[in-house]
């Protein structure tokens, strides 16, 4: 029989990689706390309509990347595994009337998402993001809080070769005349574009900027007017303040007039942080302002801005950087040399974990002393507790400090106390314990 394996574009995360992930996840939670953002968790699947309306009918995500199905429930209009989190967060914001609780909601999330993309390095079909959404403020300082969080996040992890690209795609009222202009400019050359672009031009010409086809992008360079050149005076002044604040914060950025981002909800500011360490999929994170989304999804008009960051891509960049070290996993390894000692070993392990907070492993493979010692070293344990027959008959164990090789006999009832003194001595360098160990 053929083995059953993971689905294309998905993967298992195994130890010790999981340790690195947890470390980063903890770092993210702490980082968000420092910035006053509170965590939100939403369901894995939502009504399909949330994304068609929220993200946009003609986007890559909605036209070709969603995992959608018809539910058995007759009422259902179709369900979808979430491909992104801004629309679900806004749905939750409206559903729970969060705007009434506070005029500004600062929310963050960390979650798995699903997009049926062509898998490659840094691009999976199930992937993980963390992200933030600040819902309530229309002002440029809110955009800059978000952009600076993204930048300082990577900077504090000492990632190098970072680039911040920003742009403004203006507010929706100036979008219409621009889109007409864009369509008029592209129509004469439309037969040279790919078939997807040809269908999109009528419904949403802005999405032609997203096409991954080189030939289409060259045509865009030649024919397409840039949206930044057509934004309103208010949009421009908003953008200028963003630029001024970023400069004050000494965040290096460049203005990329071609960047429109692939989701329909953006208004005014868009941005991405890229890293040269990543290769073709070089976006560590992306985001922007989305002042109309709350209204589009049925809430009261509320301005908002946010970003989301791929965790797989972060891990690749960190790996290239080789700056994350994995913590050593075990404090104490309990070596068992004969069967009768097993219950007692388990009780000791339990006590040291629960009362003393040590990470303890016990032998369950019944191997030789040599093999168990090797395991103790492999686990980088600081101590081995050796349960040998001679000591055990006297209600004792042998404790070996791995660094120095020193061994001493400790009565089993005193073991927890013994390690509390050790711990005190180790952690505080107290001087009160002398050399008696
Ligand atoms: P996005 O640009 O689609 O934006 O995704 C944000 C980040 O998620 C990307 O920069 C990338 O790091 C990661 N990412 C996206 N797709 C994949 C994939 N298939 N495999 C691995 N990583 C991936 C959004 O999702 C918006 N909701 C961001 C936002 C929040 N805008 C406002 N608020």
């Amino acid at each position: 029989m053929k083995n059953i394996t993971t689905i294309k574009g998905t993967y298992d995360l195994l130890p010790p990689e999981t340790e690195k992930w947890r470390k980063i996840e903890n770092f993210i939670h702490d980082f968000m706390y420092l910035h006053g953002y509170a965590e939100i968790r939403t369901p894995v699947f939502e009504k399909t309509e949330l994304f068609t309306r929220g993200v946009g009918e003609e986007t890559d995500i909605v036209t070709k990347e969603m995992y959608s199905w018809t539910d058995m429930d007759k009422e259902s209009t179709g369900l979808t595994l979430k491909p992104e989190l801004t629309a679900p967060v806004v749905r939750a914001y409206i559903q729970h009337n969060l705007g009434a609780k506070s005029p500004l909601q600062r929310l963050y999330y960390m979650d798995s998402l699903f997009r049926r993309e062509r898998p490659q390095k840094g691009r999976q079909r199930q992937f993980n993001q963390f992200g933030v959404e600040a819902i309530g403020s229309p002002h440029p300082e809110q955009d800059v809080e978000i952009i600076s969080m993204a930048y300082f996040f990577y900077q504090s992890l000492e990632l190098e070769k970072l680039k911040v690209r920003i742009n403004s795609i203006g507010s929706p009222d100036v979008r219409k005349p621009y889109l007409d202009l864009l369509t008029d400019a592209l129509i004469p050359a439309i037969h040279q574009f790919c078939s997807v672009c040809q269908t999109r031009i009528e419904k949403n010409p802005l999405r032609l900027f997203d096409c991954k086809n080189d030939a289409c992008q060259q045509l865009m360079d030649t024919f397409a007017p840039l949206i930044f050149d057509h934004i309103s005076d208010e949009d421009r002044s908003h953008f200028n303040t963003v630029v001024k604040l970023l400069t004050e914060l000494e965040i290096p950025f460049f203005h990329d007039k071609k960047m429109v981002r692939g989701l329909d909800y953006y208004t005014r500011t868009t941005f991405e942080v890229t890293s040269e360490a990543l290769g073709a999929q070089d976006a560590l994170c992306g985001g922007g302002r989305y002042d109309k989304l709350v209204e589009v999804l049925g809430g009261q008009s509320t301005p908002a801005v946010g970003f989301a960051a791929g965790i797989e891509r972060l891990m690749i960049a960190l790996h290239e950087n080789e700056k994350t070290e994995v913590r050593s996993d075990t404090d104490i390894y309990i070596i068992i040399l004969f069967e009768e000692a097993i219950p007692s070993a388990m009780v000791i392990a339990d006590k040291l974990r629960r009362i003393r907070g040590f990470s303890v492993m016990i032998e369950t493979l019944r191997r030789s002393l040599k093999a168990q010692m090797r395991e103790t070293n492999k686990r980088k344990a600081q101590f081995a507790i050796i349960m040998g027959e001679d000591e055990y008959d006297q209600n004792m164990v042998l404790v070996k400090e791995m660094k120095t090789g020193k061994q001493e006999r400790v009565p089993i009832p005193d073991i927890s106390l013994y390690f509390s003194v050790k711990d005190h001595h180790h952690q505080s360098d107290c001087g009160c314990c002398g050399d008696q160990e």
Side-chain angles (χ1 to χ4, degrees):
M1 232 191 323
K2 245 178 111 182
N3 285 345
I4 299 171
T5 57
T6 49
I7 295 162
K8 183 175 170 187
T10 71
Y11 63 95
D12 300 310
L13 200 60
L14 306 173
E17 204 57 23
T18 37
E19 287 289 335
K20 287 192 195 163
W21 273 68
R22 187 142 36 82
K23 211 169 149 186
I24 285 296
E25 285 160 8
N26 291 341
F27 182 84
I28 293 167
H29 289 298
D30 292 347
F31 184 87
M32 295 303 171
Y33 172 76
L34 289 181
H35 290 81
Y37 280 68
E39 189 182 7
I40 178 165
R41 300 187 190 197
T42 65
V44 174
F45 56 107
E46 298 266 3
K47 291 180 183 156
T48 303
E49 189 192 350
L50 174 63
F51 303 108
T52 45
R53 250 212 280 165
V55 175
E57 301 259 16
E58 290 305 317
T59 57
D60 278 353
I61 293 181
V62 170
T63 52
K64 46 187 189 193
E65 294 171 1
M66 294 206 300
Y67 288 96
S68 303
W69 68 97
T70 322
D71 193 53
M72 288 203 261
D73 183 347
K74 291 275 181 302
E75 311 284 282
S76 163
T77 53
L79 304 177
T80 292
L81 288 178
K82 56 182 166 188
E84 67 101 51
L85 266 155
T86 308
V89 167
V90 168
R91 194 246 333 114
Y93 174 90
I94 299 166
Q95 185 172 338
H96 304 286
N97 204 9
L98 297 183
K101 295 190 176 118
S102 160
L104 177 66
Q105 286 285 339
R106 288 185 164 101
L107 301 167
Y108 82 93
Y109 46 79
M110 189 154 29
D111 215 336
S112 289
L113 303 174
F114 307 85
R115 293 184 195 175
R116 203 175 185 293
E117 294 192 83
R118 199 166 41 79
Q120 62 183 86
K121 184 181 170 193
R123 191 158 79 189
Q124 292 78 29
R125 290 183 170 182
Q126 176 173 348
F127 63 99
N128 293 277
Q129 273 187 352
F130 73 91
V132 296
E133 313 292 352
I135 309 176
S137 169
H139 302 299
E141 57 269 33
Q142 190 62 61
D143 308 36
V144 173
E145 173 175 281
I146 295 287
I147 300 171
S148 65
M149 275 175 82
Y151 179 73
F152 290 134
F153 175 83
Y154 296 114
Q155 208 200 32
S156 59
L157 288 170
E158 297 179 47
L159 287 189
E160 286 151 11
K161 299 180 202 153
L162 294 176
K163 262 196 194 138
V164 182
R165 300 152 67 215
I166 62 167
N167 193 19
S168 173
I169 62 165
S171 35
D173 34 325
V174 298
R175 190 81 45 88
K176 180 80 179 72
Y178 165 74
L179 292 180
D180 290 345
L181 205 71
L182 180 63
T183 313
D184 289 348
L186 297 178
I187 285 287
I190 196 62
H191 57 279
Q192 298 177 56
F193 279 84
C194 73
S195 57
V196 178
C197 284
Q198 291 190 18
T199 56
R200 279 183 180 172
I201 187 143
E202 273 171 33
K203 294 179 193 147
N204 194 342
L206 200 60
R207 296 279 65 92
L208 269 65
F209 282 104
D210 308 335
C211 185
K212 287 169 187 127
N213 187 325
D214 283 345
C216 294
Q217 281 319 309
Q218 270 169 22
L219 289 165
M220 291 302 280
D221 286 346
T222 315
F223 294 102
L226 294 171
I227 194 162
F228 187 81
D229 298 331
H230 298 270
I231 64 177
S232 71
D233 290 347
E234 292 81 25
D235 294 335
R236 201 171 291 268
S237 136
H238 183 99
F239 182 77
N240 289 341
T241 311
V242 169
V243 164
K244 186 166 158 269
L245 288 170
L246 288 175
T247 312
E248 300 243 344
L249 286 169
E250 295 181 12
I251 295 175
F253 65 90
F254 82 100
H255 182 186
D256 179 356
K257 286 192 182 181
K258 271 188 71 186
M259 185 181 58
V260 296
R261 305 230 343 109
L263 303 98
D264 274 355
Y265 47 62
Y266 291 114
T267 55
R268 293 194 163 167
T269 314
T270 54
F271 78 99
E272 274 180 8
V273 180
T274 55
S275 160
E276 278 175 31
L278 286 179
Q281 301 303 316
D282 67 350
L284 282 166
C285 73
R289 188 163 267 291
Y290 50 94
D291 289 344
K292 293 289 166 207
L293 185 58
V294 181
E295 209 176 322
V296 164
L297 293 177
Q300 280 173 12
S301 171
T302 314
V305 52
F307 79 84
I311 303 182
E312 281 79 3
R313 293 190 193 176
L314 169 64
M315 298 314 281
I316 295 171
L318 282 173
H319 182 71
E320 304 279 324
N321 217 31
E322 282 177 0
K323 278 196 173 130
T324 30
E325 90 288 352
V326 183
R327 66 163 198 201
S328 84
D329 33 7
T330 307
D331 297 320
I332 301 168
Y333 196 89
I334 304 187
I335 292 178
I336 306 171
L337 299 176
F338 70 113
E339 212 179 315
E340 288 76 52
I342 294 170
S344 172
M346 291 185 125
V347 172
I348 292 172
D350 181 53
K351 267 198 193 141
L352 290 174
R353 290 183 192 118
R354 274 191 308 117
I355 306 172
R356 296 284 164 231
F358 284 114
S359 146
V360 186
M361 264 190 201
I362 77 169
E363 172 74 7
T364 55
L365 287 173
R366 303 190 180 184
R367 287 173 292 186
S368 70
L369 173 63
K370 205 170 144 204
Q372 295 190 47
M373 266 301 171
R374 212 180 296 131
E375 188 71 44
T376 309
N377 282 318
K378 199 169 133 193
R379 299 278 162 201
K380 298 197 187 82
Q382 296 173 45
F383 296 96
I385 296 178
I386 304 163
M387 317 254 327
E389 217 158 349
D390 291 351
E391 284 82 14
Y392 191 75
D393 284 346
Q394 298 167 40
N395 207 21
M396 300 274 219
V397 293
L398 202 59
V399 176
K400 177 170 179 172
E401 186 170 15
M402 300 307 289
K403 201 166 74 191
T404 58
K406 274 191 207 160
Q407 302 199 134
E408 76 184 296
R409 286 152 66 100
V410 180
I412 290 178
D414 295 347
I415 196 93
S416 171
L417 185 68
Y418 173 86
F419 275 104
S420 86
V421 174
K422 278 267 178 224
D423 200 31
H424 167 63
H425 181 73
H426 269 267
Q427 286 183 5
S428 62
D429 238 348
C430 59
C432 70
C433 309
D435 274 326
Q436 72 236 22
E437 8 165 352

